[in-house]
Each structure stands twice: as C-alpha cells, then as structure tokens.
Amino acid sequence: MITGDAAYIKKINRSLILEKIVEEGMISRADISKATALTRATVSAQVADLLDEDLIIETQLEHTSVGRKPIMLSLNAKSGYSLGIDVDYSQISFTISDLLGKLVFEKSIECKSRAYEDILQILIEQINLLDEAYSDNRYGIIGVVIAIHGLVGKDEKVHFVPRFLWRSVNLKEDLEKACKLDIHIENNANMSAFAERVFLHHETNSLLCATIHSGIGLGMIMDNQFFRGNDGFAGEIGHMIVVPHGRPCSCGNEGCWEQYASELVFLENIKEERNLSSFTYSDLEMLVNEGDQEILERLDNYIYYLSIGLNNMINMYNPDTIILDGEILRLYPDSLKKLEAHLSSSISHYRKLSVSTLGKRTVRMGACAFAIKHFLRVSMLNLKYQEA
C-alpha cells in the first residue's frame, strides 16, 4: 500500500491512471479502477482533473444492448507535441510527434562543421522555429530530448563526443538560455533502446539495443529503467577492445570494437580501398544484389567481428531481448542467421535477437517518447508505432 502525504499519493495515482489509459488506448473509469486497485471515487476525481487539463478525452461508444452506453477515456494526443533530435556525425535530424508518438514532422540538416558553437546555433535556431510553428494547441511542444553520440552524465552534461572531440560542454544549459522549452540531453543508444521498448517490445523489461551506425553504443533497460553506471557512462561498448594492438581509435585505445563493426568504418574502408569519392548504403546494396564476391566476403568478416562483441554483451548481461540497430544488417540477406551461427557458446543465454525495424529514425522516436514520458510523469509507456 502506498503511504505518504496527500500530494505525493495524488501524484502517484495520477501516474497510474495515465499509464493505464495510454497502455489500453481506450478504457472506462470502472476498468481503470479494477486495473489499478484505486477506488472509483479516486479515479473519478483524477479523471475530472485530467479532462480539465485537456490531457484526456471522453468517447461514448455505440452499442445495441439495453443499458447505459459506456464512456471511454483516451489520451488527447493532439493536445501537445514532442520534439526528438539526433545530433549525429555530419547530420542533425529533427522529429516531431503527437503525444501518442505518431510522426507529425521530420527534417534533417547536413552539418559540415563539428565545432560546438556552430552546432549549438543550428539547434537554437531550429528549436525556436519549431516551437513557434507547433504552438497551435494547448501545450505546444511539451519537451525536447536531444540524443548525443557520446558520453552524457547523469547530470545531463556532455562529457565527451569522440567524433566531434567535444569535451565537457553544457548543452542543456546553453539551450535553455536561448529556448523557452524543457530540454533534456540523453545518450543516443539509450534513446534507441527506449524506442524499441516503448513502440515494439512491450513484453520485456530486460532489453539491450546496440546502435552500430557511426559508432557503437549500447542502450540497456533493466526492470524498465536505464542502466547508466556510476556516472551515467555505461554502454560505451564500442570501445571494448576486441583486437589487442589493433586499429587506432579516436578514444585513445587500439583495437576497439567499433573500428571493426561500426557501419561508418566499414563504408569508409571500402571507399578508401576502391579509391571512390563516396560509398553509401545504396552503393553497398547494389553490389550485394550483383553478387560482388569481394563485398560478400567483407560482409561476412564484418558479421564475424560484430558477433565477437555481441557474444561479450550476452555473457555480461544475460538479457531477454537484444536489438541491433543498423542499416547493413537490414540490407544484407540472412545477416541475422549468419550472426546467430557465431553465437554457439553453451554459456550464452538470451531469448530473442532481432534487427530493428524502426529504421534510421529509431533514436529520434525514442527521444520523442522520452519527452512524452517526462511530460506525463509516468514510469513507462506502451505506444503503437504509427507512421505520419
């Protein structure tokens, strides 16, 4: 039984009711009372407040049986928007969703500069433009979550971004000085893991999500909470050494996993070896479809190195669900079977291994969902993934 002062108990009850409404999509007051073990009087009082705040709406269902038509409650998805931003190598991507995570707007800006001040100015300009453009409802943009491909502390300060060489920058504070919105800074892999849990994998509370695009990061959700480590830096698994005295890495070590299994390094190596001006995922897909033997051998070698780190992850954390977020795995036929073939240890235990189906917007969708979670003040969200 929850005990405490009246304000605290009211806050907890509100969270339970909102979480159940979001989870069910549409639910009656009576069913909320049954599902949460709250009294009908408590549910009615809380619902009245939520209706006054435009956070939920009522719908009267049509039915033919005798008796009163049931009144159903659902989240008012159109009462606000969330903004998720992915600050990646060479590109900043923006996504706006409604309060149920449905995509409303997407935009990407190419960014040639890696300087902190330049990227800060782009973020300020775009956030303020979007804040003005999406102020057509009660709450407007309810929060901004920015995903960073580097070390983000529990204090939300950016401690190090390897590819930008940023060290100890307070992006949150700098943005809050120039923008009127609620700003949160998170690690990109955490946001990928959150997207997978919120939109697709409702049945698990033990999930690992490895992002393997420009580097390799690991988002970890245990008992529906992020596992962050002592300072918030847990999950930098791309800098686990898999080849002693191997390729040099920007982190200062040699032989880091991401030097052998990140997609950016894979594509850049082929570009340099073949003396090409560029080499993209589309170029790779074309060569795979053409049956280019050298490329197929390189991909098999890439899968092998990917499996080394994956094996280590499984043995360290014994997860229920593992998600790999990468384009190469999506375009290379039977990549998952090839990967699983290398995971033959009798010690490694996991229930499900899959490749993300959310595509390149995974990080941004996770960021949008995380902003919604903050705004609604619920412990977890279960949303349906919806295209715009």
Side-chain angles (χ1 to χ4, degrees):
M1 182 177 179
I2 298 172
T3 59
D5 62 43
Y8 174 73
I9 293 172
K10 185 175 181 180
K11 186 185 298 184
I12 295 296
N13 291 342
R14 174 190 173 96
S15 175
L16 289 171
I17 290 168
L18 266 176
E19 195 168 317
K20 185 54 63 176
I21 290 172
V22 173
E23 181 182 344
E24 296 298 327
M26 193 173 284
I27 188 171
S28 69
R29 290 170 174 79
D31 286 338
I32 291 174
S33 180
K34 291 176 185 176
T36 61
L38 297 173
T39 66
R40 293 198 176 197
T42 296
V43 171
S44 293
Q46 289 276 3
V47 164
D49 289 343
L50 292 170
L51 286 168
D52 286 342
E53 295 169 29
D54 287 336
L55 280 178
I56 62 174
I57 54 177
E58 291 181 316
T59 304
Q60 193 165 45
L61 293 185
E62 294 293 335
H63 74 139
T64 56
S65 60
V66 176
R68 188 175 177 182
K69 296 178 181 179
I71 296 176
M72 308 298 283
L73 305 169
S74 56
L75 189 73
N76 184 5
K78 296 180 180 180
S79 64
Y81 302 101
S82 65
L83 172 56
I85 303 174
D86 182 11
V87 181
D88 200 355
Y89 178 71
S90 78
Q91 182 172 274
I92 304 175
S93 300
F94 303 80
T95 291
I96 287 181
S97 79
D98 67 17
L99 294 189
L100 284 174
K102 182 178 179 180
L103 295 177
V104 173
F105 171 84
E106 290 183 289
K107 177 181 182 179
S108 293
I109 295 176
E110 186 179 355
C111 187
K112 296 181 180 179
S113 173
R114 302 179 192 178
Y116 175 70
E117 289 299 330
D118 293 338
I119 291 177
L120 174 63
Q121 289 307 309
I122 291 173
L123 290 171
I124 291 171
E125 179 182 339
Q126 293 301 316
I127 289 170
N128 285 333
L129 283 173
L130 292 170
D131 184 23
E132 184 177 351
Y134 287 88
S135 58
D136 59 346
N137 55 24
R138 176 157 179 174
Y139 294 103
I141 293 179
I142 51 87
V144 182
V145 173
I146 301 172
I148 299 295
H149 296 239
L151 297 180
V152 178
K154 290 180 179 178
D155 55 6
E156 297 188 59
K157 290 182 180 178
V158 180
H159 289 261
F160 182 50
V161 181
R163 291 197 170 272
F164 292 166
L165 298 180
W166 293 356
R167 293 183 184 273
S168 301
V169 297
N170 199 337
L171 181 60
K172 177 183 173 74
E173 183 177 298
D174 291 340
L175 286 173
E176 287 179 337
K177 289 177 183 176
C179 306
K180 299 176 182 178
L181 298 172
D182 185 29
I183 306 285
H184 291 280
I185 311 298
E186 276 291 342
N187 171 267
N188 71 298
N190 282 345
M191 293 299 91
S192 284
F194 195 67
E196 295 291 340
R197 168 60 185 83
V198 166
F199 290 103
L200 297 175
H201 299 278
H202 299 163
E203 76 288 349
T204 183
N205 62 3
S206 172
L207 180 147
L208 301 182
C209 180
T211 60
I212 55 179
H213 296 284
S214 57
I216 299 182
L218 181 64
M220 296 174 280
I221 295 177
M222 304 292 179
D223 296 324
N224 283 333
Q225 300 290 330
F226 288 123
F227 179 80
R228 297 180 184 273
N230 186 61
D231 299 308
F233 303 157
E236 290 299 320
I237 202 151
H239 299 286
M240 166 179 61
I241 295 172
V242 296
V243 179
H245 309 297
R247 299 171 186 165
C249 181
S250 59
C251 76
N253 280 330
E254 297 176 340
C256 290
W257 189 31
E258 70 176 39
Q259 293 303 315
Y260 297 85
S262 77
E263 295 184 338
L264 181 63
V265 169
F266 181 86
L267 296 174
E268 285 183 345
N269 285 343
I270 294 175
K271 183 186 76 173
E272 291 175 9
E273 290 170 12
R274 298 198 172 193
N275 196 26
L276 302 170
S277 59
S278 68
F279 188 76
T280 67
Y281 290 110
S282 297
D283 297 326
L284 177 61
E285 186 172 19
M286 181 181 69
L287 293 176
V288 168
N289 292 336
E290 290 175 355
D292 186 300
Q293 195 58 40
E294 181 188 350
I295 289 294
L296 294 177
E297 289 175 3
R298 291 290 295 272
L299 283 169
D300 285 340
N301 192 52
Y302 170 81
I303 292 289
Y304 169 70
Y305 279 110
L306 191 58
S307 73
I308 292 175
L310 184 57
N311 181 76
N312 293 342
M313 283 165 43
I314 293 168
N315 286 325
M316 278 191 285
Y317 298 109
N318 180 216
D320 175 74
T321 303
I322 309 161
I323 313 296
L324 298 173
D325 182 13
E327 284 297 307
I328 288 178
L329 297 179
R330 283 190 277 268
L331 65 86
Y332 186 34
D334 297 326
S335 60
L336 202 57
K337 289 182 180 179
K338 291 174 181 286
L339 194 55
E340 289 179 318
H342 291 295
L343 303 176
S344 56
S345 170
S346 59
I347 297 174
S348 298
H349 292 285
Y350 61 94
R351 182 182 64 83
K352 183 179 181 180
L353 172 65
S354 62
V355 177
S356 174
T357 57
L358 294 178
K360 294 181 179 179
R361 60 170 62 100
T362 310
V363 171
R364 287 171 280 137
M365 290 306 301
C368 284
F370 203 61
I372 296 168
K373 178 180 179 293
H374 272 286
F375 175 66
L376 297 180
R377 298 175 186 174
V378 295
S379 60
M380 182 49 75
L381 291 170
N382 289 323
L383 301 174
K384 293 180 180 179
Y385 179 61
Q386 306 174 72
E387 292 282 357

